[in-house]
Amino acid sequence: MKIICTKCKNEISDSDKFCPTCGFSKEEILGINTEVTNFEPMIEVYRESGMVGCLVDYIVLIDGKEVGKLKNGEKKRFKLAQGLHEIQIKQNWSWCYSTKESFLLKDFSKFTCKPRFGIFSPIKLPFYSLFKNKKFILLTQS
């Protein structure tokens, strides 16, 4: 394969790693990225601001373990290993949860959580608190 140096326009042999004339790297000529990055896969969880439950923290559970807490309107990032994980959000003082969501983490994933209803839904609050407590918090991946 014939390679021409983009800096000095001289020919580089297949066995050379650098241009013999100007010393320009063959990887740079071919556009190969040889940098090592300190990349760490992570997720971002955002709790939307709202009146319902605004004084209560949300607990972020990943693979059944607590990794952090979110206040009203707060956004946090959590570092995780690549692979299949499960996320769930729980209200700090109550038995109200989101459903468990499985996700495959390769590099970065975003989630948003909020109560399933607003302040103008007075009938839904006791219904979801008593009968649908595992669906009280709406968790979506974006």
Side-chain angles (χ1 to χ4, degrees), residues 3-12 19 21-22:
I3 300 171
I4 304 295
C5 178
T6 55
K7 192 171 182 183
C8 69
K9 308 295 184 215
N10 284 329
E11 190 174 324
I12 303 171
C19 175
T21 307
C22 68

Side-chain angles (χ1 to χ4, degrees), residues 43 57 60 65 80 83:
I43 65 165
D57 290 344
V60 180
K65 297 177 185 169
L80 297 173

Side-chain angles (χ1 to χ4, degrees), residues 58-120:
Y58 280 7
I59 298 171
V60 180
L61 303 167
I62 298 179
D63 300 328
K65 297 177 185 169
E66 182 179 330
V67 294
K69 293 183 180 181
L70 294 171
K71 296 188 182 312
N72 197 22
E74 189 175 25
K75 182 190 300 184
K76 285 190 178 176
R77 290 184 172 189
F78 305 99
K79 294 176 185 174
L80 297 173
Q82 289 183 335
L84 188 62
H85 295 281
E86 192 172 68
I87 184 171
Q88 187 176 32
I89 308 294
K90 178 189 181 302
Q91 266 191 342
N92 192 22
W93 57 270
S94 75
W95 59 90
C96 297
Y97 292 84
S98 70
T99 56
K100 292 180 180 179
E101 298 289 331
S102 294
F103 65 98
L104 180 63
L105 181 64
K106 292 183 181 178
D107 49 16
F108 185 76
S109 292
K110 290 173 102 173
F111 291 90
T112 303
C113 59
K114 66 179 183 177
R116 196 169 284 274
F117 50 87
I119 193 165
F120 298 111

Side-chain angles (χ1 to χ4, degrees), residues 26-63:
K26 189 167 151 184
E27 283 88 4
E28 290 181 67
I29 294 166
L30 296 173
I32 300 170
N33 186 3
T34 57
E35 292 181 35
V36 177
T37 60
N38 292 331
F39 174 75
E40 293 184 49
M42 64 176 58
I43 65 165
E44 179 180 275
V45 183
Y46 170 62
R47 178 181 172 184
E48 289 186 10
S49 184
M51 292 297 292
V52 176
C54 65
L55 301 176
V56 180
D57 290 344
Y58 280 7
I59 298 171
V60 180
L61 303 167
I62 298 179
D63 300 328

